[in-house]
Structures are given as C-alpha cells and as structure tokens.
Amino acid sequence: MRGNGFPQDPSGLKDGIDRLLQRDRAGTDESLERERKVTDDTLLAVVENHASSALDEQRARVDTLVDAVRARGAIDASTHEERTLLDEVLDIERAASDATLDFERQARRVVFEVERARTDRHLAAERANTDAALSHAHDLLVNEQASRVEAEQRALTRDEFLAIVSHDLRSPLDAIAINATLLGENAPSGPDGDKHQKWVRNIKRGVDNMGRLVSDLLDVARFEGGEFRVTREERDVVGVVKEAVDTFTPVAAARDLRLDFEVPSGPIHAWFDHDRVLQVLSNLLRNAIHFTESGGAITLAVLAEEHGCRVAVRDTGIGIPVALHARIFDRFQQLRSADRRGLGLGLYISKRIVDAHGGRIWVESRPGEGSTFLFTLPGR
C-alpha cells in the first residue's frame, strides 16, 4: 500500500489543527469586537439623538409659550418685575426640561446596558459553539488519521505476508513435482505400474493447481505493491490462442466437453505480452470448463478490429446473472459462494492484465444461456 497524502504522525496533524483552531478563534474574537463596537456606537447615537430631540422640543414649547404671552399683551417687557417673573418661569421650564432629559438619558443608558449584556451573552454562546465544533472536528480528524495509519499498516503487513508465503511455497511444490516425475519414470511395468502412473498424474495435477494458486497470490501482491509489469511486443494473437486450445483440449475432453476455436486463416497482429495473455486465456478457459455441464461446448474465437483485436471465450454453461457482471472481476469473488476450489482471483487478475495492456474485458451472459467473456488487445 502507498501513502495517501496524510501525515503519518497523528501528533503532527493535531498541531496543525490546533494552529487552525487558534487562528479561527482569533478571527472570531475580532469579529465579536467589531460587532460590539458597532452595537455600542449605534445605541449611543440613538440615545444622543433622542435626548437632543427631546430637549429641543421642550425648549421650543417654552419659547412658544413666552411668545404667546407677549403677543397677548399679558406681560409688559418694560416692567422689571414682570421680566423677572418671566425669567423665573423660563428657569423653571428649563429645569423641568433638563430633568426630563436626564431621566430619559438614564433610561436609555439602562436599556443600552441591558441590550449590550444580551449581545455579550449571545456572542459568548456563539464563540462556545464555534470552539466546541472545532474541537470536535479536531478529534474526528485525529481519530480518522490514526485509523488510516493502522489500516495501511495492516494492509502492508498482509501483502508482505502473501508475497513471502507465496514465494516460499514454490520450493516444496517444485520438490513434489520432481519426485512425482521420478516415481513415474521408475514405476514398474504391468498393472502395478499403471496404478503408479495414475497416482503420479494425480500428484502432478495437484501440484499444477497449487502452483496456479501460488502464482495468483504473487500476482495480487505485485498488483497491490505497484510492481506488476507487462513486456509487450508485436505478435500474432492466433498463435497464442492455438497454444491455449492445445493445452486445454485434454482437460475439456476429460469432462466430456468439446473445445473449438474460430480464427482467420492469416495472422492477426497485436501488441501484447505473450505469457500474460496466455494466462488470461487459461483463466477464462478454466472457468468455462468448470461451469459447463458434460456434453457442452466451448469456443475460443479471435476477430480483427481497426485498432487491434478482440478475443472471445464462449461456453454453453450455467450463465451469470446480469447483477454480477461487474462484481465477478473483483478480488475473491466467486460465482458460487459454496465453491471453494479456487481463491476467486482468476478474473480479477485477468482484468488487471488486460488493463495493463490498455485493453478492456467484459462478459455477456444470462442464466441458463451460457457466457461469453471478451477482451481486447491494442495494435501498435
């Protein structure tokens, strides 16, 4: 497995999130301070405007009263006592106006303080919610990163284990195959020798199956480790198809199946890795033989295309539900869940090989109507 771009040390992620938290908190404080200043300025402006308006209205009423009295002739401006009396009236009115203004200012101040306290409580609650949300996000990210690191370590250990075990299984399998060959060569003649030869064939068949499973595990380990490579060159696809047919004709005959191939008379050239394409054909033919009843038929065909070729493996087997067409190319997927004769890697590996060639692989099938597996190979 490879890294995913996250820091491998969760403490480094935590420090980064703490810095983000401090920056966001500082931004929140600045925003709250600006909002409080706007609120203060607005409330003060409202109080001052209202007080000034009230004072102006009170004095205007006094001036209007004085003008009315003078206009009616009730006061003689030339009389000192009357002027003094008028001044006293004005002083009383002004004092009343000032008292009214002070009261209104005090009332407005109380309203302002109450409003500011409510705003402070609201802003404090907003800040607490923001801090809680950021802290929760911090915890989630730290936990997610720790889980990712743990999962990557488990996957890496698993892939390394598969690669080591698969490689180490090669030696005992080779030893079994060599000794089986020696037993066959030194078997006695007659009926006893025939029995020995049958046992030798069974041993070799088991070794071949085990070798294929080990190869599949090694291929999967290479895929996951990014070490899988194909060596392509221009070759005749018809030749590798005939080679696959020759190899599996005895296997099909043992199951009472007919194995045919349809190829043009001339060569069809494509750009591919011979051994890997032969591996794909072997996987497809092996599946076709396994899922086709006795008396059925399997056909391997090649068709030239404008930019390469198309290879098809058709069978008269049990067929595959449409819902499974995409899933059967995943790892460890098997058509029959109770069938444990394989690892469910053949189609997965085949898809990875075809993808590595720049081709495409798919299936056309319905239950009871057989299956056709097709893949393409590009030209030069």
Side-chain angles (χ1 to χ4, degrees), residues 169-183:
L169 284 175
R170 287 287 190 184
S171 295
L173 286 176
D174 290 342
I176 294 172
I178 292 172
N179 282 278
T181 301
L182 292 175
L183 286 174

Side-chain angles (χ1 to χ4, degrees), residues 82-138:
E82 293 175 346
R83 181 176 297 171
T84 301
L85 178 61
L86 178 60
D87 290 339
E88 290 177 357
V89 171
L90 291 175
D91 290 339
I92 293 171
E93 292 289 344
R94 288 193 178 95
S97 298
D98 291 341
T100 300
L101 179 60
D102 289 340
F103 175 79
E104 290 183 354
R105 281 178 174 168
Q106 290 297 327
R108 292 292 178 181
R109 176 62 63 180
V110 171
V111 172
F112 168 74
E113 294 296 338
V114 171
E115 182 66 21
R116 181 171 181 177
R118 187 188 68 80
T119 302
D120 288 344
R121 289 195 300 272
H122 173 72
L123 296 179
E126 289 280 343
R127 178 176 177 179
N129 292 335
T130 301
D131 289 348
L134 289 173
S135 178
H136 181 62
H138 167 273

Side-chain angles (χ1 to χ4, degrees), residues 117-239:
R118 187 188 68 80
T119 302
D120 288 344
R121 289 195 300 272
H122 173 72
L123 296 179
E126 289 280 343
R127 178 176 177 179
N129 292 335
T130 301
D131 289 348
L134 289 173
S135 178
H136 181 62
H138 167 273
D139 294 339
L140 289 178
L141 287 174
V142 170
N143 292 336
E144 180 184 359
Q145 175 61 15
S147 298
R148 284 176 178 268
V149 171
E150 182 181 358
E152 287 183 356
Q153 290 174 344
R154 287 200 305 267
L156 182 60
T157 301
R158 180 200 62 202
D159 294 338
E160 289 177 346
F161 173 78
L162 285 177
I164 293 172
V165 170
S166 300
H167 183 271
D168 290 347
L169 284 175
R170 287 287 190 184
S171 295
L173 286 176
D174 290 342
I176 294 172
I178 292 172
N179 282 278
T181 301
L182 292 175
L183 286 174
E185 292 175 352
N186 293 278
S189 58
D192 289 340
D194 294 339
K195 287 193 298 183
H196 281 82
Q197 293 293 347
K198 180 180 178 181
W199 295 338
V200 167
R201 288 193 297 271
N202 290 338
I203 293 173
K204 288 185 174 181
R205 187 178 300 112
V207 169
D208 290 341
N209 288 334
M210 283 294 296
R212 178 174 57 84
L213 296 178
V214 170
S215 296
D216 288 348
L217 289 174
L218 284 172
D219 283 338
V220 171
R222 293 189 187 102
F223 292 146
E224 300 302 324
E227 300 173 357
F228 180 76
R229 299 289 185 272
V230 294
T231 303
R232 298 189 297 168
E233 57 182 330
E234 189 174 13
R235 304 179 68 103
D236 179 15
V237 180
V238 175

Side-chain angles (χ1 to χ4, degrees), residues 331-349:
R331 280 196 308 178
F332 307 116
Q333 292 294 322
Q334 293 179 327
L335 187 58
R336 291 171 174 168
S337 59
D339 188 351
R340 304 309 304 168
R341 281 177 285 182
L343 296 175
L345 293 173
L347 291 178
Y348 168 74
I349 292 173

